[in-house]
Amino acid sequence: MKVEAYDDLDPTVTEDVHPHTFVVPGMEVRAGAAQDDEDGSSEFETRLIPSVQYYQIDLGPDSLNKLHEALKPFIAAAQECEPPKGGRKARAK
């Protein structure tokens, strides 16, 4: 059986294609517990919570280079760090 991988951005590319996993930061809106206002009414409080979404994509060399080029200014401004420890997701409070 022959298995071919296709570049998800350019399906004509099948050579040297590998899966790449990456994380995209974002903000999630959460509704908090109701709070009583002065007039006795209750409203839900909303707040932004930092979140991340994991993605996987199959890329060939040219597409991977395009991704690296697009990320260059962000990587240049960032500080290198260790990956998060453990596989547990943070619990919502």
Side-chain angles (χ1 to χ4, degrees), residues 19-40:
H20 299 276
T21 302
F22 59 98
V23 178
V24 176
M27 297 299 275
E28 182 179 311
V29 177
R30 293 223 181 124
Q35 293 187 347
D36 291 329
D37 288 341
E38 292 174 5
D39 64 0

Side-chain angles (χ1 to χ4, degrees), residues 2 4 14 21-22 27 37 52 62 64 70 79 83 86-87 91:
K2 182 180 179 182
E4 281 189 336
T14 59
T21 302
F22 59 98
M27 297 299 275
D37 288 341
V52 295
D62 289 342
L64 183 59
Q79 296 176 7
R91 263 195 280 173

Side-chain angles (χ1 to χ4, degrees), residues 24-89:
V24 176
M27 297 299 275
E28 182 179 311
V29 177
R30 293 223 181 124
Q35 293 187 347
D36 291 329
D37 288 341
E38 292 174 5
D39 64 0
S41 64
S42 296
E43 287 191 22
F44 282 99
E45 184 179 85
T46 59
R47 57 190 170 131
L48 292 174
I49 306 295
S51 65
V52 295
Q53 181 65 47
Y54 292 83
Y55 294 92
Q56 188 171 62
I57 189 168
D58 294 327
L59 297 176
D62 289 342
S63 293
L64 183 59
N65 285 336
K66 287 178 187 176
L67 176 62
H68 286 181
E69 283 298 315
L71 291 174
K72 255 186 190 177
F74 300 97
I75 293 170
Q79 296 176 7
E80 191 170 338
C81 67
E82 295 293 320
K85 295 190 185 340
R88 289 181 26 187
K89 289 186 177 182

